[in-house]
């Protein structure tokens, strides 16, 4: 996949509305994208039997409340209504399947079949948190976000018209007759710790640690609603992953704050089962930003981040049963990313 651009431009929304009900109770609603991945390979890519398009987007609407138990001690919690949208496309070696089935006139790679699968689901989780002033200069916060299980169902489409081998297999044994699929995905729980330390009147130091329980993500299996089409399997066996950050913010004036920081984000991908669908590696983020207060009611933030990814080696031996007609694959991915963020805050 040398030279291919497989990750495209993306917009990640985030909206927060909060209002005080009493001196100690604040309620609000958060709408944001909590998880996402997207890769897309050309039809003539060398990885075509391993991956084409893969997209998962998780959007959440979260009603939350925060209550100040005592001066400097606040608890918070809320529900997470999460919507997941999954799109997967696949090139299937129907010619190879026909040849293995002793159907004359076909050979591996001679009659490819395109499959497209898209499904959605709503599920509910929760989040709880605690914020405490340990001293006049030190604040810490804790947060727990629950695991959310999704049972996804959607449409399956096989392009039989473009694959003579698939047509023969369909007529002979009913392969690729499905028009629906289902799958289950567990999006992980996570625990986070953050701290703010006022080093001086203008300088604040920041740090955080987060553990995401990606070990719940063991495999992806697309099951079809006909009796003949075998499920599409992709073993993941991911591991729990850490994220660690350090940074600071400096008030250049009463209206302007400059920020900079570094974030190490460990990849959960198990190298033994790494796939072109998710060619992830450890990420090293370098970020800078500025905040400015324009008036009593309006302020804004602007940030820029650059990420370097560890190279990801893909080495598919073809020995797993799920890779029987996908074949072997060996290649290396190099990835970089740039993120631009902006926020407008309006107090009313």
């Amino acid at each position: 996949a040398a030279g291919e651009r497989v990750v495209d431009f993306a917009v990640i929304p985030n909206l927060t509305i909060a209002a005080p009900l009493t001196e100690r109770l604040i309620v609000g609603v958060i709408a944001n994208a909590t998880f996402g991945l997207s890769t897309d390979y050309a039809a003539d890519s060398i990885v075509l039997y391993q991956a084409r398009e893969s997209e998962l987007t998780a959007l959440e609407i979260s009603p939350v409340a925060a209550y100040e138990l005592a001066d400097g001690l606040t608890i918070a919690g809320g529900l997470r209504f999460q919507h997941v949208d999954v799109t997967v496309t696949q090139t299937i070696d129907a010619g190879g399947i026909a040849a293995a089935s002793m159907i004359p006139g076909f050979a591996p790679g001679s009659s490819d079949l395109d499959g497209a699968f898209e499904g959605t689901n709503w599920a509910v989780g929760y989040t709880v948190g605690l914020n405490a002033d340990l001293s006049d200069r030190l604040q810490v916060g804790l947060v727990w976000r629950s695991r959310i299980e999704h049972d996804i169902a959607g449409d399956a489409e096989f392009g039989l018209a473009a694959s003579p081998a698939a047509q023969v297999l369909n007529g002979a044994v009913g392969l690729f007759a499905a028009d629906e699929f289902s799958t289950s995905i567990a999006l992980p729980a996570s625990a986070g710790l953050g701290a703010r330390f006022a080093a001086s009147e203008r300088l604040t130091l920041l740090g955080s640690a987060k553990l995401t329980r990606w070990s719940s993500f063991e495999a992806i299996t697309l099951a079809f609603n006909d009796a003949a089409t075998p499920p599409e399997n992709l073993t993941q066996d991911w591991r729990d992953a850490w994220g660690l950050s350090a940074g600071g913010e400096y008030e250049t004036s009463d209206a302007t704050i400059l920020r900079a920081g570094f974030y190490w984000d460990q990849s959960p991908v198990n190298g033994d089962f790494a796939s072109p669908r998710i060619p992830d590696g450890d990420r090293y983020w370098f970020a800078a930003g500025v905040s400015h207060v324009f008036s009593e009611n309006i302020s804004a933030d602007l940030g820029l981040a650059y990420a370097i990814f560890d190279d990801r080696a893909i080495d598919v031996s073809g020995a797993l049963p799920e890779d029987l007609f996908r074949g072997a694959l060996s290649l290396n991915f190099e990835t970089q990313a740039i993120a631009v963020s902006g926020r407008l805050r309006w107090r009313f």
Side-chain angles (χ1 to χ4, degrees):
E4 284 197 55
R5 179 177 178 176
V6 299
V7 179
D8 208 350
F9 175 80
V11 176
I12 303 174
N14 192 320
L15 173 66
T16 302
I17 300 174
L21 293 187
T22 69
E23 289 185 358
R24 292 188 177 273
L25 177 63
I26 297 175
V27 297
V29 176
I30 301 170
N32 61 356
T34 50
F35 295 101
L37 66 89
S38 177
T39 56
D40 194 3
Y41 297 88
D44 60 351
S45 171
I46 63 171
V47 307
L48 82 163
Y49 296 127
Q50 299 287 338
R52 288 288 300 282
E53 181 184 5
S54 307
E55 184 172 349
L56 182 149
T57 304
L59 301 175
E60 287 187 12
I61 299 174
S62 302
V64 295
Y67 185 76
E68 188 177 20
L69 294 173
D71 292 345
L73 180 62
T74 301
I75 59 172
L79 296 176
R80 300 163 55 204
F81 297 93
Q82 188 177 79
H83 179 265
V84 162
D85 191 324
V86 174
T87 299
V88 176
T89 63
Q90 178 74 43
T91 298
I92 301 167
D93 184 9
I97 298 173
S101 302
M102 307 301 291
I103 298 175
F106 297 104
S110 65
S111 183
D112 291 340
L113 170 68
D114 288 334
F117 322 112
E118 183 172 1
T120 61
N121 184 63
W122 280 97
V124 181
Y126 67 90
T127 184
V128 292
L130 170 71
N131 190 80
D133 296 337
L134 299 185
S135 71
D136 293 339
R137 302 173 69 180
L138 178 62
Q139 290 181 318
V140 297
L142 299 169
V143 65
W144 170 261
R145 297 166 65 85
S146 71
R147 168 173 164 165
I148 299 181
E149 302 270 359
H150 286 276
D151 294 321
I152 299 167
D155 297 327
E157 182 179 347
F158 293 98
L160 293 174
S163 175
Q167 295 172 33
V168 172
L169 290 165
N170 179 259
V173 294
L175 282 178
F176 314 122
D179 59 6
E180 295 179 0
F181 82 98
S182 61
T183 188
S184 295
I185 295 176
L187 293 183
S190 65
L193 167 68
R196 295 173 57 91
F197 178 72
S200 70
E201 289 187 2
R202 294 192 176 273
L203 176 64
T204 300
L205 302 179
L206 310 170
S208 73
K210 180 181 180 182
L211 176 64
T212 305
R213 300 294 304 275
W214 277 115
S215 54
S216 63
F217 195 45
E218 297 179 353
I220 300 173
T221 299
L222 306 185
F224 300 103
N225 69 331
D226 63 346
T229 306
E232 283 285 329
N233 295 313
L234 186 63
T235 301
Q236 299 294 313
D237 194 25
W238 280 11
R239 62 188 179 187
D240 295 342
W242 283 96
L244 303 174
S245 73
E249 54 186 35
Y250 186 78
E251 296 183 31
T252 60
S253 70
D254 291 341
T256 303
I257 299 176
L258 300 180
R259 295 184 174 88
F262 171 78
Y263 181 48
W264 172 67
D265 194 11
Q266 185 183 28
S267 171
V269 170
N270 183 338
D272 292 338
F273 302 104
S275 160
R277 288 201 180 273
I278 312 176
D280 192 29
D282 289 359
R283 297 167 291 275
Y284 307 87
W285 289 91
F286 302 87
V290 59
S291 297
H292 187 75
V293 177
F294 294 96
S295 69
E296 183 178 348
N297 297 327
I298 299 175
S299 62
D301 308 300
L302 181 65
L304 177 66
Y306 174 69
I308 300 172
F309 290 60
D310 278 348
D311 292 354
R312 169 58 67 190
I314 305 291
D315 189 9
V316 179
S317 67
L320 289 175
E322 64 197 51
D323 293 323
L324 178 61
F325 295 105
R326 296 174 186 161
L329 179 69
S330 181
L331 71 163
N332 194 63
F333 281 84
E334 298 178 0
T335 308
Q336 300 177 12
I338 297 175
V340 178
S341 61
R343 178 172 64 173
L344 180 65
R345 289 179 288 184
W346 179 32
R347 298 179 182 271
F348 55 90

